[in-house]
Amino acid sequence: MVDYKKIGLKIGIEIHQRLATKTKLFCNCSTEISDEEKSIFEFSRKLRPTASETGEVDNAAMQEFLKEKEFIYYSYPNCCSIETDSKFPNELNKEALLISLQLAKMLRMRVPDSLQIMRKIVIDGSNTTGYQRTSLVGKGDKNSYIETNFGKVHIQDLNLEEESATKIKEKENRIYYRLDRLGIPLIELSCHPDIWHPEQAKEFASKIGLLLRSLNVKRGIGTIRQDVNISVKKGSRIEIKGFQELKKLDKLIKNEVKRQLDLILVKEKLKNKSINLTEIEVTKLFKSSKCKILKGKEKILCLKLKGLSGLFKNSCGEIILGKEIANYAKIFGIGGIIHSDEDLKKYNFDLKEIYSLKKEIGAKERDLFLLITGENCGNAMNLIKKRILHLNKGIPEETRFAEDVLTRYARELPGAARMYPETDLPKIDLNEYLDKIELPETLEEKSAKFLKLGLSKDLAKQISKSKELKLFEEFLKYKVEPKLIADLILNKKRALERKGIKIEKKDLEFVLKNLEKEKIVKKAIEEVLINKNIKGFEKIPRIKLKKITVNYAKKYGEKAMGEIMKKYGKRVDSEEVIKLLNQ
Ligand SMILES: [Zn+2]
């Protein structure tokens, strides 16, 4: 067991939540994303980093640029010339502003007098402009916190920003994006690094998640994601981007902690050693190699690490160090590296090849070497060398991608030179909006309200946490028992959909209207949902039912009830039958 207090674990989380506004943040396009594959048109761009106000070019931005990428964008019906960056943005969406102000108020944050829209440089292509528009809506103070079982977690900043484009694929130097998601309002909420335990991180994120759900936010896969900053004593700040599976957040953190602790061990081992690297091009040696990865490649580079044989076998979290280093090459589109700490037999080398390679690079028994090939192997090698030279210094600060519950290198940490004011849009006076803000009911409050409407405790809790909550609240307008509505949405609909029967909103409304007008009874709900028609399931009118009960009572005596239900089960209400029989 890791003693998280002792290792000085510090975690900060940034939560990104998409808002369910009608339109996007700076244009009138819908925020609904369709599953449409086919785009309306496409175009390509190359982006260049520009110096910020302070004259520096951001490191991370520069690194992206060096990858010489071309970006291809696909446009969809919910995109206009604002997403394609050929028109000035409209003014900021007030519906989105009000939602973000609601959250600021719920978290007892300080709201600035005016809203200044800023441009945050992003040149990974996820934005056609080369920047993301963002604005500070709330600042946390000592009263802005979430209580957890491990102590308070203070809220830092709340920003309202535009969602990025969706990356579809990456091929050679081209990255492909869909533009339909670009510009959807997004809330970015960050906390102070008060979190010191993986379970606490999960508790905090789920509490914020619940709070967000009481606001008008999008639900479902990808609509909420977390960036997690993790560091341990003697380590450095690592930022993990875009984690989506809240249930596994503790696992992700535990793995990252292990990786950092392992890297600290590697550092201790190398403490008194100098790292001596030699790079040599060895392309010609593998012209007709039996190793498919290297055979006839245009460029193959070799790196010799003097006296460091065995280094790559050290563990680095859940993987070995060799694999961790190889992951740095991946950002240049290179699949991996070959190194002498692994079993070289699996690559089908000729023994002679290895011999002449060792001779060429002057490798001794205790030296470690690695090979790399690919279009961008020069850049990849530079990054790998930089990373290896850092091994005896500790953990480099960096941004990493989450891959399930593991992480891999993404890019350098962005510097502070990322923001400058948006000049196309005016400041917004926030004081006039603040008075208009009404706090929404929290999910606990909603759940208590549903309990009063006759739902069971479980059902009330279930529906208030469900993504069908909005639908349920809308359907309360029907004069139908609320618990029946909840059951219809949560259980009946899902059960049928599991059987492959598609149930749309209008089908549910059809059932509810018929229940309201007493044209069908509860027991017929499922059939009516399937048939989308009440034929054969119409409720038997009371006068007719009365006659039936009189006749059946005469004929069957004690067994009348059973017989009636056998014949008219889905067309009569059993309580009504009992009443009539008892008359
Ligand atoms: Zn638009």
Side-chain angles (χ1 to χ4, degrees):
M1 274 298 272
V2 182
D3 183 341
Y4 292 105
K5 266 258 151 81
K6 203 170 149 199
I7 62 163
L9 177 59
K10 266 190 183 171
I11 303 168
I13 298 183
E14 231 176 59
I15 293 174
H16 296 93
Q17 168 75 61
R18 253 179 253 161
L19 304 183
T21 50
K22 278 196 193 69
T23 58
K24 290 186 178 177
L25 197 53
F26 294 106
C27 65
N28 288 323
C29 294
S30 163
T31 62
E32 292 292 326
I33 298 174
S34 71
D35 338 318
E36 185 58 55
E37 291 279 323
K38 210 171 146 34
S39 58
I40 294 179
F41 68 93
E42 57 178 85
F43 61 97
S44 87
R45 290 265 164 91
K46 277 200 167 192
L47 296 173
R48 302 270 177 275
T50 51
S52 75
E53 279 180 321
T54 49
E56 303 160 56
V57 174
D58 180 58
N59 249 348
M62 200 58 201
Q63 205 183 7
E64 286 295 322
F65 169 63
L66 282 175
K67 286 193 276 168
E68 295 174 345
K69 301 282 187 200
E70 186 183 0
F71 307 109
I72 318 286
Y73 297 103
Y74 292 125
S75 185
Y76 291 86
N78 73 333
C79 305
C80 65
S81 37
I82 290 172
E83 283 90 333
T84 60
D85 189 31
S86 28
K87 216 180 118 190
F88 286 123
N90 294 350
E91 61 176 51
L92 182 118
N93 180 333
K94 295 301 170 330
E95 190 190 358
L97 178 60
L98 289 176
I99 299 170
S100 57
L101 286 171
Q102 272 183 315
L103 182 62
K105 213 166 171 181
M106 283 165 92
L107 289 167
R108 302 169 297 275
M109 300 178 83
R110 278 182 293 122
V111 171
D113 289 331
S114 66
L115 188 90
Q116 166 74 61
I117 297 158
M118 303 290 285
R119 293 176 174 182
K120 186 155 70 179
I121 298 177
V122 270
I123 67 156
D124 62 359
S126 63
N127 212 310
T128 49
T129 47
Y131 52 80
Q132 176 193 32
R133 294 187 189 91
T134 179
S135 48
L136 184 77
V137 178
K139 267 253 167 242
D141 62 20
K142 64 180 195 319
N143 298 314
S144 331
Y145 60 84
I146 294 286
E147 196 66 76
T148 72
N149 292 326
F150 299 84
K152 284 177 188 167
V153 179
H154 287 83
I155 305 294
Q156 192 166 1
D157 290 333
L158 172 64
N159 290 289
L160 175 60
E161 44 190 47
E162 40 183 8
E163 176 65 287
S164 55
T166 326
K167 186 159 153 186
I168 324 168
K169 61 179 174 184
E170 202 168 340
K171 217 174 163 191
E172 280 145 23
N173 280 337
R174 292 202 175 89
I175 305 180
Y176 296 78
Y177 287 99
R178 283 177 74 110
L179 283 182
D180 47 358
R181 196 180 79 177
L182 180 64
I184 295 178
L186 190 73
I187 268 177
E188 182 199 69
L189 183 73
S190 61
C191 74
H192 286 277
D194 294 343
I195 301 171
W196 62 273
H197 196 284
E199 302 288 346
Q200 186 186 19
K202 192 162 134 184
E203 188 186 345
F204 170 75
S206 62
K207 285 198 163 160
I208 292 289
L210 280 181
L211 213 60
L212 286 168
R213 282 195 223 166
S214 60
L215 298 166
N216 187 21
V217 299
K218 295 252 185 211
R219 299 286 304 267
I221 299 164
T223 57
I224 184 165
R225 56 182 190 266
Q226 283 96 24
D227 290 349
V228 194
N229 282 297
I230 304 176
S231 68
V232 297
K233 221 185 292 170
K234 297 189 212 162
S236 319
R237 189 164 75 92
I238 298 295
E239 181 185 62
I240 301 169
K241 286 295 239 188
F243 191 68
Q244 295 186 12
E245 290 178 274
L246 184 57
K247 277 183 198 144
K248 294 183 182 170
L249 183 57
D250 53 332
K251 200 90 198 269
L252 176 92
I253 293 168
K254 283 173 190 167
N255 286 338
E256 175 56 22
V257 166
K258 184 165 185 303
R259 189 188 74 91
Q260 294 191 20
L261 295 177
D262 283 344
L263 282 172
I264 291 170
L265 288 180
V266 169
K267 176 194 155 186
E268 313 266 285
K269 275 189 200 168
L270 293 174
K271 205 159 60 184
N272 300 317
K273 283 190 184 171
S274 62
I275 299 179
N276 191 327
L277 304 180
T278 323
E279 182 188 331
I280 308 138
E281 188 180 339
V282 293
T283 316
K284 62 179 191 318
L285 290 180
F286 298 94
K287 277 247 141 56
S288 48
S289 173
K290 280 186 181 152
C291 169
K292 278 185 194 154
I293 300 171
L294 301 180
K295 188 186 169 188
K297 284 286 150 66
E298 224 163 90
K299 196 175 190 183
I300 303 166
L301 297 173
C302 180
L303 186 71
K304 186 177 78 174
L305 294 80
K306 200 177 164 207
L308 289 176
S309 173
L311 175 70
F312 282 1
K313 287 182 184 166
N314 280 290
S315 75
C316 182
E318 299 297 306
I319 57 176
I320 58 161
L321 188 58
K323 176 109 181 17
E324 167 78 2
I325 298 292
N327 280 340
Y328 285 76
K330 277 195 176 160
I331 65 156
F332 294 98
I334 287 166
I337 61 172
I338 292 173
H339 62 81
S340 57
D341 274 346
E342 54 184 344
D343 180 9
L344 290 173
K345 277 186 205 136
K346 67 181 178 192
Y347 297 106
N348 284 333
F349 286 115
D350 205 315
L351 277 178
K352 264 197 285 181
E353 273 176 336
I354 299 298
Y355 178 79
S356 36
L357 172 69
K358 282 186 173 168
K359 208 176 138 195
E360 176 84 17
I361 62 173
K364 305 252 167 44
E365 197 58 35
R366 298 185 52 202
D367 296 342
L368 168 63
F369 63 84
L370 68 87
L371 293 161
I372 183 169
T373 186
E375 202 180 329
N376 245 325
C377 65
N379 283 330
M381 182 60 102
N382 286 337
L383 185 61
I384 285 177
K385 281 197 288 192
K386 193 175 163 197
R387 178 64 191 93
I388 292 172
L389 286 171
H390 206 97
L391 283 171
N392 60 4
K393 298 188 183 75
I395 307 165
E397 289 197 333
E398 62 198 22
T399 301
R400 299 178 68 88
F401 296 121
E403 283 184 330
D404 189 25
V405 289
L406 298 181
T407 65
R408 79 176 162 87
Y409 176 77
R411 55 182 173 266
E412 281 192 24
L413 266 195
R418 293 174 82 194
M419 300 248 256
Y420 58 104
E422 165 65 83
T423 41
D424 297 338
L425 292 159
K427 279 189 177 184
I428 299 170
D429 182 357
L430 288 181
N431 290 317
E432 68 173 287
Y433 289 97
L434 267 183
D435 305 331
K436 289 185 199 160
I437 299 299
E438 279 174 29
L439 287 187
E441 275 176 311
T442 63
L443 294 187
E444 280 86 15
E445 283 163 352
K446 280 192 200 256
S447 183
K449 190 176 79 184
F450 300 154
L451 210 60
K452 279 189 194 148
L453 290 176
L455 268 65
S456 68
K457 213 172 168 185
D458 271 355
L459 202 55
K461 210 169 152 189
Q462 217 186 329
I463 195 87
S464 50
K465 285 188 177 181
S466 146
K467 58 180 173 204
E468 312 284 10
L469 172 64
K470 262 199 226 167
L471 195 65
F472 175 69
E473 289 183 307
E474 186 191 328
F475 284 173
L476 285 175
K477 70 183 177 204
Y478 292 104
K479 289 190 191 70
V480 173
E481 269 182 279
K483 67 175 176 203
L484 220 60
I485 302 176
D487 179 62
L488 176 72
I489 297 173
L490 284 183
N491 307 324
K492 296 229 162 43
K493 175 176 178 259
R494 282 185 197 168
L496 289 175
E497 281 178 337
R498 270 197 292 271
K499 287 183 193 162
I501 300 165
K502 203 171 173 196
I503 307 293
E504 288 177 51
K505 188 181 169 191
K506 66 172 191 322
D507 303 327
L508 299 169
E509 284 174 320
F510 179 71
V511 166
L512 289 169
K513 273 179 201 159
N514 280 296
L515 281 169
E516 189 178 55
K517 289 184 198 147
E518 296 190 20
K519 285 191 171 173
I520 57 168
V521 298
K522 296 190 253 201
K523 271 177 277 166
I525 291 177
E526 204 176 308
E527 277 77 8
V528 175
L529 267 182
I530 297 170
N531 300 335
K532 331 259 184 227
N533 196 317
I534 64 167
K535 208 163 171 251
F537 296 98
E538 300 93 337
K539 187 182 176 193
I540 295 175
R542 200 179 157 86
I543 302 176
K544 199 176 163 196
L545 185 60
K546 198 166 178 180
K547 277 185 195 160
I548 293 172
T549 52
V550 172
N551 289 340
Y552 272 63
K554 269 188 208 155
K555 199 169 167 191
Y556 297 103
E558 296 263 290
K559 287 180 182 162
M561 175 76 191
E563 291 299 320
I564 293 172
M565 293 315 284
K566 219 190 271 174
K567 181 138 188 182
Y568 302 104
K570 299 211 161 155
R571 300 182 59 194
V572 296
D573 188 357
S574 47
E575 279 162 41
E576 205 180 339
V577 177
I578 294 173
K579 264 190 208 155
L580 287 169
L581 282 170
N582 287 337
Q583 270 180 11

